[in-house]
Coordinates of all heavy atoms in Angstrom, one line a residue:
Chain A
V440 N -82.8 -109.8 -43.8 CA -82.9 -110.3 -42.5 C -81.5 -110.4 -41.9 O -80.8 -111.4 -42.0 CB -83.6 -111.7 -42.4 CG1 -83.8 -112.1 -40.9 CG2 -84.9 -111.7 -43.1
P441 N -81.1 -109.3 -41.3 CA -79.7 -109.2 -40.9 C -79.4 -110.1 -39.7 O -80.2 -110.2 -38.8 CB -79.5 -107.7 -40.5 CG -80.9 -107.3 -40.1 CD -81.8 -108.0 -41.0
P442 N -78.2 -110.7 -39.7 CA -77.8 -111.5 -38.5 C -77.4 -110.5 -37.4 O -77.3 -109.3 -37.7 CB -76.5 -112.3 -39.0 CG -76.1 -111.5 -40.2 CD -77.2 -110.8 -40.8
P443 N -77.2 -111.0 -36.2 CA -76.8 -110.1 -35.1 C -75.5 -109.4 -35.4 O -74.6 -109.9 -36.1 CB -76.6 -111.1 -33.9 CG -77.3 -112.3 -34.3 CD -77.3 -112.4 -35.8
K444 N -75.4 -108.2 -34.9 CA -74.1 -107.4 -35.1 C -73.8 -107.1 -36.6 O -72.7 -106.9 -36.9 CB -72.9 -108.1 -34.5 CG -73.0 -108.1 -32.9 CD -71.6 -108.1 -32.4 CE -71.6 -107.7 -30.9 NZ -70.2 -107.7 -30.4
Y445 N -74.8 -107.0 -37.4 CA -74.6 -106.7 -38.8 C -74.5 -105.2 -39.0 O -75.5 -104.5 -38.7 CB -75.8 -107.3 -39.6 CG -75.6 -107.3 -41.1 CD1 -74.8 -108.2 -41.7 CD2 -76.3 -106.3 -41.9 CE1 -74.7 -108.2 -43.1 CE2 -76.2 -106.3 -43.3 CZ -75.4 -107.3 -43.9 OH -75.2 -107.3 -45.2
F446 N -73.4 -104.7 -39.4 CA -73.2 -103.3 -39.6 C -73.6 -102.7 -40.9 O -73.6 -101.5 -41.1 CB -71.7 -102.9 -39.4 CG -71.1 -103.3 -38.1 CD1 -69.7 -103.3 -37.9 CD2 -71.9 -103.6 -37.0 CE1 -69.2 -103.6 -36.6 CE2 -71.4 -103.9 -35.7 CZ -70.0 -103.9 -35.6
R447 N -73.9 -103.6 -41.8 CA -74.1 -103.2 -43.2 C -75.6 -102.7 -43.4 O -76.3 -102.5 -42.5 CB -73.7 -104.3 -44.2 CG -72.2 -104.3 -44.3 CD -71.5 -105.5 -43.6 NE -71.2 -106.6 -44.6 CZ -70.1 -107.3 -44.5 NH1 -69.2 -107.2 -43.6 NH2 -69.9 -108.3 -45.4
L448 N -75.9 -102.6 -44.7 CA -77.3 -102.1 -45.0 C -78.4 -103.1 -44.8 O -78.3 -104.3 -45.2 CB -77.3 -101.6 -46.5 CG -78.4 -100.7 -46.9 CD1 -78.4 -99.4 -46.1 CD2 -78.3 -100.4 -48.4
K449 N -79.5 -102.6 -44.2 CA -80.6 -103.4 -44.0 C -81.9 -102.6 -44.1 O -81.7 -101.3 -44.1 CB -80.6 -104.1 -42.6 CG -80.4 -103.1 -41.5 CD -80.0 -103.8 -40.2 CE -79.7 -102.8 -39.1 NZ -79.0 -103.4 -37.9
P450 N -83.0 -103.1 -44.3 CA -84.2 -102.3 -44.5 C -84.4 -101.3 -43.4 O -84.4 -101.7 -42.2 CB -85.4 -103.4 -44.5 CG -84.7 -104.7 -44.9 CD -83.3 -104.6 -44.4
G451 N -84.6 -100.1 -43.8 CA -84.7 -99.0 -42.8 C -83.4 -98.6 -42.2 O -83.4 -97.6 -41.4
G452 N -82.3 -99.2 -42.5 CA -81.1 -98.9 -41.9 C -80.2 -97.9 -42.6 O -80.5 -97.6 -43.8
E453 N -79.2 -97.5 -42.0 CA -78.3 -96.5 -42.6 C -76.9 -97.0 -42.7 O -76.5 -97.9 -41.8 CB -78.3 -95.2 -41.7 CG -79.5 -94.3 -41.9 CD -79.2 -93.0 -41.2 OE1 -78.7 -93.0 -40.1 OE2 -79.6 -91.9 -41.8
V454 N -76.2 -96.6 -43.7 CA -74.8 -97.0 -43.9 C -74.1 -95.8 -44.6 O -74.8 -95.0 -45.3 CB -74.8 -98.3 -44.7 CG1 -75.0 -98.1 -46.2 CG2 -73.7 -99.2 -44.3
R455 N -72.8 -95.8 -44.5 CA -72.1 -94.7 -45.3 C -71.6 -95.4 -46.6 O -71.0 -96.4 -46.5 CB -71.0 -94.1 -44.5 CG -70.2 -93.0 -45.3 CD -69.1 -92.4 -44.5 NE -69.6 -91.4 -43.6 CZ -69.9 -90.1 -43.9 NH1 -69.7 -89.7 -45.1 NH2 -70.3 -89.2 -43.0
L456 N -71.8 -94.7 -47.7 CA -71.1 -95.1 -48.9 C -69.7 -94.4 -48.8 O -69.6 -93.2 -48.8 CB -71.9 -94.6 -50.2 CG -73.2 -95.2 -50.4 CD1 -73.8 -94.7 -51.8 CD2 -73.2 -96.7 -50.5
K457 N -68.7 -95.2 -48.8 CA -67.4 -94.7 -48.6 C -67.0 -93.5 -49.5 O -67.3 -93.6 -50.8 CB -66.3 -95.8 -48.8 CG -64.9 -95.4 -48.6 CD -64.2 -96.2 -47.6 CE -62.9 -95.5 -47.3 NZ -62.1 -96.1 -46.2
Y458 N -66.5 -92.5 -49.0 CA -66.1 -91.3 -49.7 C -67.3 -90.4 -50.1 O -67.1 -89.3 -50.6 CB -65.2 -91.6 -50.9 CG -64.0 -92.4 -50.6 CD1 -63.7 -93.6 -51.3 CD2 -63.1 -91.9 -49.6 CE1 -62.6 -94.3 -51.0 CE2 -61.9 -92.7 -49.3 CZ -61.7 -93.9 -50.0 OH -60.6 -94.6 -49.7
A459 N -68.5 -90.9 -50.0 CA -69.7 -90.2 -50.5 C -70.5 -89.7 -49.3 O -70.2 -88.6 -48.8 CB -70.5 -91.1 -51.4
C460 N -71.5 -90.4 -48.9 CA -72.4 -89.9 -47.9 C -73.2 -91.0 -47.3 O -73.1 -92.2 -47.7 CB -73.4 -88.9 -48.5 SG -74.4 -89.7 -49.8
I461 N -73.9 -90.7 -46.2 CA -74.7 -91.7 -45.6 C -76.0 -91.9 -46.3 O -76.6 -90.9 -46.8 CB -75.0 -91.3 -44.1 CG1 -73.7 -91.3 -43.3 CG2 -76.0 -92.2 -43.4 CD1 -73.8 -90.7 -41.9
I462 N -76.5 -93.1 -46.4 CA -77.7 -93.4 -47.1 C -78.6 -94.2 -46.2 O -78.2 -94.8 -45.3 CB -77.5 -94.2 -48.4 CG1 -76.9 -95.5 -48.2 CG2 -76.7 -93.3 -49.4 CD1 -76.9 -96.5 -49.3
K463 N -79.9 -94.1 -46.5 CA -80.9 -94.9 -45.8 C -81.7 -95.7 -46.7 O -82.2 -95.3 -47.8 CB -81.8 -93.9 -45.0 CG -82.8 -94.6 -44.1 CD -83.7 -93.6 -43.3 CE -84.6 -94.4 -42.4 NZ -85.6 -93.5 -41.8
C464 N -81.9 -97.0 -46.3 CA -82.6 -97.9 -47.2 C -84.1 -97.8 -46.9 O -84.6 -98.1 -45.8 CB -82.2 -99.3 -46.9 SG -83.0 -100.5 -47.9
D465 N -84.9 -97.3 -47.9 CA -86.3 -97.1 -47.8 C -87.1 -98.3 -48.3 O -88.2 -98.5 -47.7 CB -86.7 -95.8 -48.6 CG -85.9 -94.6 -48.2 OD1 -85.7 -94.4 -47.0 OD2 -85.4 -93.9 -49.1
E466 N -86.7 -98.9 -49.3 CA -87.6 -99.8 -50.0 C -86.8 -100.9 -50.8 O -85.8 -100.7 -51.3 CB -88.4 -99.0 -51.0 CG -89.5 -99.7 -51.7 CD -90.2 -98.8 -52.7 OE1 -89.9 -97.6 -52.8 OE2 -91.0 -99.3 -53.5
L467 N -87.4 -102.1 -50.8 CA -86.8 -103.2 -51.6 C -87.7 -103.4 -52.8 O -88.9 -103.4 -52.6 CB -86.8 -104.5 -50.8 CG -86.3 -104.6 -49.4 CD1 -86.2 -106.1 -49.0 CD2 -85.0 -103.9 -49.3
V468 N -87.1 -103.6 -53.9 CA -87.9 -104.0 -55.1 C -87.6 -105.4 -55.5 O -86.4 -105.8 -55.6 CB -87.6 -103.1 -56.3 CG1 -88.5 -103.5 -57.5 CG2 -87.9 -101.6 -55.9
K469 N -88.6 -106.3 -55.6 CA -88.3 -107.7 -55.9 C -89.0 -108.1 -57.2 O -90.0 -107.5 -57.6 CB -88.9 -108.6 -54.8 CG -88.3 -108.4 -53.4 CD -88.8 -109.3 -52.4 CE -88.1 -109.2 -51.0 NZ -88.6 -110.1 -50.0
D470 N -88.5 -109.1 -57.8 CA -89.2 -109.6 -59.0 C -90.2 -110.6 -58.6 O -90.4 -110.9 -57.4 CB -88.1 -110.1 -60.0 CG -87.4 -111.3 -59.5 OD1 -87.8 -111.9 -58.5 OD2 -86.3 -111.6 -60.1
S471 N -90.8 -111.2 -59.6 CA -91.9 -112.2 -59.3 C -91.4 -113.4 -58.5 O -92.2 -114.0 -57.8 CB -92.5 -112.6 -60.6 OG -91.5 -113.2 -61.5
S472 N -90.1 -113.7 -58.6 CA -89.6 -114.9 -57.9 C -89.2 -114.5 -56.5 O -88.7 -115.4 -55.7 CB -88.5 -115.5 -58.6 OG -87.4 -114.7 -58.6
G473 N -89.3 -113.3 -56.1 CA -88.9 -112.8 -54.8 C -87.5 -112.4 -54.7 O -87.0 -112.0 -53.6
Q474 N -86.8 -112.4 -55.8 CA -85.4 -112.0 -55.8 C -85.3 -110.4 -55.8 O -86.1 -109.8 -56.4 CB -84.8 -112.5 -57.1 CG -83.3 -112.4 -57.2 CD -82.7 -113.5 -56.3 OE1 -83.2 -114.6 -56.2 NE2 -81.5 -113.2 -55.8
I475 N -84.5 -109.9 -54.9 CA -84.3 -108.5 -54.8 C -83.6 -108.0 -56.1 O -82.6 -108.5 -56.5 CB -83.5 -108.1 -53.6 CG1 -84.2 -108.5 -52.3 CG2 -83.2 -106.6 -53.6 CD1 -83.4 -108.4 -51.1
T476 N -84.2 -107.0 -56.8 CA -83.7 -106.5 -58.0 C -83.1 -105.1 -57.8 O -82.3 -104.6 -58.6 CB -84.7 -106.4 -59.1 OG1 -85.8 -105.7 -58.6 CG2 -85.2 -107.8 -59.5
E477 N -83.6 -104.4 -56.7 CA -83.2 -103.0 -56.6 C -83.5 -102.6 -55.1 O -84.4 -103.0 -54.5 CB -84.1 -102.2 -57.5 CG -83.8 -100.7 -57.7 CD -84.7 -100.1 -58.7 OE1 -84.7 -100.5 -59.9 OE2 -85.4 -99.1 -58.3
L478 N -82.6 -101.7 -54.7 CA -82.7 -101.1 -53.4 C -83.0 -99.7 -53.6 O -82.2 -99.0 -54.3 CB -81.4 -101.3 -52.6 CG -81.2 -102.5 -51.6 CD1 -82.1 -103.6 -51.8 CD2 -79.7 -102.9 -51.6
R479 N -84.0 -99.1 -53.0 CA -84.3 -97.7 -53.1 C -83.9 -97.0 -51.8 O -84.4 -97.3 -50.8 CB -85.7 -97.5 -53.5 CG -86.1 -98.1 -54.9 CD -87.5 -97.9 -55.3 NE -87.8 -96.5 -55.7 CZ -87.5 -96.0 -56.9 NH1 -86.9 -96.8 -57.9 NH2 -87.8 -94.8 -57.2
C480 N -83.1 -96.0 -52.0 CA -82.5 -95.4 -50.8 C -82.5 -93.8 -50.9 O -82.6 -93.3 -52.1 CB -81.1 -95.8 -50.5 SG -80.8 -97.5 -50.4
T481 N -82.4 -93.1 -49.8 CA -82.2 -91.7 -49.9 C -80.8 -91.4 -49.4 O -80.3 -92.0 -48.4 CB -83.3 -90.9 -49.1 OG1 -83.4 -91.6 -47.8 CG2 -84.6 -90.8 -49.8
A482 N -80.2 -90.4 -50.1 CA -78.8 -90.0 -49.7 C -78.9 -88.8 -48.8 O -79.7 -87.8 -49.1 CB -78.0 -89.7 -50.9
D483 N -78.2 -88.8 -47.7 CA -78.2 -87.6 -46.8 C -77.0 -86.8 -47.3 O -75.8 -87.0 -46.9 CB -78.0 -88.0 -45.4 CG -77.9 -86.8 -44.4 OD1 -77.8 -85.7 -44.9 OD2 -77.9 -87.0 -43.2
L484 N -77.2 -85.9 -48.2 CA -76.2 -85.1 -48.8 C -75.4 -84.2 -47.9 O -74.3 -83.7 -48.2 CB -76.7 -84.3 -50.0 CG -76.7 -85.0 -51.4 CD1 -76.3 -86.5 -51.4 CD2 -78.0 -84.8 -52.1
T485 N -76.0 -83.9 -46.7 CA -75.3 -83.1 -45.7 C -74.2 -83.8 -45.1 O -73.4 -83.2 -44.4 CB -76.3 -82.6 -44.6 OG1 -76.7 -83.8 -43.8 CG2 -77.5 -82.0 -45.2
T486 N -74.0 -85.1 -45.3 CA -72.9 -85.9 -44.7 C -71.8 -86.0 -45.7 O -70.8 -86.8 -45.4 CB -73.4 -87.3 -44.3 OG1 -73.9 -88.0 -45.4 CG2 -74.5 -87.2 -43.2
R487 N -71.8 -85.3 -46.8 CA -70.7 -85.4 -47.8 C -69.6 -84.6 -47.3 O -69.7 -83.7 -46.4 CB -71.1 -84.8 -49.1 CG -72.2 -85.6 -49.9 CD -72.4 -85.0 -51.3 NE -71.2 -85.2 -52.1 CZ -70.9 -84.4 -53.1 NH1 -71.6 -83.3 -53.3 NH2 -69.8 -84.6 -53.8
A488 N -68.4 -84.8 -47.8 CA -67.2 -84.0 -47.4 C -67.5 -82.6 -47.6 O -68.1 -82.2 -48.7 CB -66.0 -84.4 -48.3
G489 N -67.2 -81.7 -46.6 CA -67.5 -80.3 -46.7 C -68.9 -80.0 -46.3 O -69.3 -78.8 -46.1
G490 N -69.8 -81.0 -46.1 CA -71.2 -80.8 -45.7 C -71.2 -80.6 -44.2 O -70.3 -80.9 -43.4
P491 N -72.3 -80.0 -43.7 CA -72.4 -79.7 -42.2 C -72.4 -81.0 -41.4 O -72.0 -80.9 -40.2 CB -73.8 -79.0 -42.2 CG -74.5 -79.4 -43.4 CD -73.5 -79.6 -44.4
N492 N -72.9 -82.1 -41.9 CA -73.0 -83.3 -41.1 C -72.0 -84.3 -41.5 O -72.2 -85.5 -41.3 CB -74.4 -83.8 -41.1 CG -75.4 -82.9 -40.5 OD1 -75.1 -82.2 -39.5 ND2 -76.6 -82.7 -41.2
V493 N -70.9 -83.9 -42.0 CA -69.8 -84.8 -42.5 C -69.4 -85.7 -41.4 O -69.0 -86.9 -41.6 CB -68.6 -84.1 -43.1 CG1 -68.0 -83.2 -42.1 CG2 -67.6 -85.1 -43.7
D494 N -69.4 -85.3 -40.1 CA -68.9 -86.1 -39.0 C -69.9 -87.0 -38.4 O -69.6 -87.7 -37.4 CB -68.3 -85.1 -37.9 CG -67.1 -84.4 -38.4 OD1 -66.3 -85.0 -39.2 OD2 -66.8 -83.3 -38.0
R495 N -71.1 -87.0 -39.0 CA -72.1 -87.9 -38.4 C -71.6 -89.4 -38.6 O -71.1 -89.8 -39.6 CB -73.5 -87.7 -39.1 CG -74.6 -88.6 -38.5 CD -75.9 -88.0 -38.7 NE -76.5 -88.2 -40.0 CZ -77.2 -89.3 -40.3 NH1 -77.4 -90.2 -39.4 NH2 -77.7 -89.4 -41.6
K496 N -71.8 -90.1 -37.5 CA -71.3 -91.5 -37.5 C -72.4 -92.5 -37.7 O -73.5 -92.4 -37.2 CB -70.6 -91.8 -36.1 CG -69.6 -90.9 -35.7 CD -68.3 -91.0 -36.5 CE -67.2 -90.1 -36.0 NZ -66.2 -89.8 -37.0
V497 N -72.1 -93.5 -38.6 CA -73.0 -94.7 -38.6 C -72.0 -95.8 -38.5 O -70.8 -95.7 -38.7 CB -73.7 -94.8 -40.0 CG1 -74.9 -93.8 -40.0 CG2 -72.8 -94.6 -41.2
K498 N -72.6 -97.0 -38.1 CA -71.7 -98.1 -37.8 C -71.0 -98.7 -39.0 O -69.8 -99.1 -39.0 CB -72.5 -99.2 -37.1 CG -71.7 -100.2 -36.4 CD -70.9 -99.6 -35.2 CE -69.9 -100.7 -34.6 NZ -68.9 -100.0 -33.7
G499 N -71.7 -98.7 -40.1 CA -71.1 -99.4 -41.3 C -70.7 -98.4 -42.4 O -71.4 -97.4 -42.6
T500 N -69.6 -98.8 -43.1 CA -69.2 -98.0 -44.3 C -69.0 -99.1 -45.4 O -68.3 -100.1 -45.1 CB -67.9 -97.3 -44.0 OG1 -68.1 -96.3 -43.0 CG2 -67.5 -96.6 -45.3
I501 N -69.7 -98.9 -46.5 CA -69.5 -99.9 -47.6 C -69.0 -99.3 -48.8 O -69.0 -98.1 -49.0 CB -70.9 -100.6 -47.8 CG1 -71.9 -99.7 -48.4 CG2 -71.3 -101.4 -46.6 CD1 -73.2 -100.4 -48.8
H502 N -68.5 -100.1 -49.7 CA -67.9 -99.7 -51.0 C -69.0 -99.7 -52.0 O -70.1 -100.4 -51.9 CB -66.7 -100.5 -51.4 CG -67.1 -102.0 -51.5 ND1 -67.0 -102.8 -50.4 CD2 -67.4 -102.8 -52.5 CE1 -67.4 -104.0 -50.7 NE2 -67.6 -104.0 -52.0
W503 N -68.8 -99.0 -53.1 CA -69.9 -98.9 -54.2 C -69.2 -98.4 -55.4 O -68.0 -98.0 -55.4 CB -70.9 -97.8 -53.7 CG -70.2 -96.5 -53.4 CD1 -69.6 -96.2 -52.3 CD2 -70.0 -95.4 -54.3 NE1 -69.0 -94.9 -52.4 CE2 -69.3 -94.4 -53.6 CE3 -70.4 -95.2 -55.6 CZ2 -68.9 -93.2 -54.2 CZ3 -70.1 -93.9 -56.2 CH2 -69.3 -93.0 -55.5
V504 N -69.9 -98.5 -56.6 CA -69.4 -97.9 -57.8 C -70.7 -97.3 -58.5 O -71.8 -97.8 -58.3 CB -68.7 -98.8 -58.8 CG1 -67.4 -99.3 -58.2 CG2 -69.6 -100.0 -59.2
S505 N -70.5 -96.3 -59.3 CA -71.6 -95.7 -60.0 C -72.0 -96.7 -61.1 O -71.2 -97.4 -61.7 CB -71.1 -94.4 -60.7 OG -71.9 -94.1 -61.8
A506 N -73.3 -96.8 -61.3 CA -73.8 -97.7 -62.4 C -73.4 -97.2 -63.8 O -73.2 -98.0 -64.7 CB -75.3 -97.9 -62.2
T507 N -73.4 -95.9 -63.9 CA -73.1 -95.4 -65.2 C -71.6 -95.1 -65.4 O -71.1 -95.1 -66.6 CB -73.9 -94.1 -65.5 OG1 -73.7 -93.2 -64.3 CG2 -75.4 -94.4 -65.6
Q508 N -70.9 -94.7 -64.4 CA -69.5 -94.4 -64.5 C -68.7 -95.5 -63.9 O -68.0 -95.3 -62.9 CB -69.2 -93.1 -63.9 CG -70.0 -92.0 -64.6 CD -69.3 -90.6 -64.5 OE1 -68.1 -90.5 -64.3 NE2 -70.2 -89.6 -64.5

Side-chain angles (χ1 to χ4, degrees):
Chain A
V440 184
K444 289 210 166 180
Y445 190 76
F446 297 166
R447 284 108 101 142
L448 195 61
K449 54 194 172 192
E453 282 189 322
V454 84
R455 180 179 281 277
L456 293 185
K457 179 122 189 175
Y458 304 124
C460 60
I461 293 173
I462 61 166
K463 182 176 183 188
C464 180
D465 305 313
E466 188 185 350
L467 316 188
V468 180
K469 297 184 179 181
D470 63 16
S471 55
S472 67
Q474 194 73 33
I475 297 171
T476 55
E477 189 177 301
L478 267 17
R479 297 182 71 82
C480 304
T481 43
D483 178 354
L484 270 7
T485 67
T486 59
R487 294 187 66 209
N492 295 321
V493 61
D494 291 329
R495 184 151 81 87
K496 306 288 183 204
V497 284
K498 196 65 187 165
T500 298
I501 65 173
H502 56 276
W503 56 278
V504 294
S505 161
T507 48
Q508 300 204 26

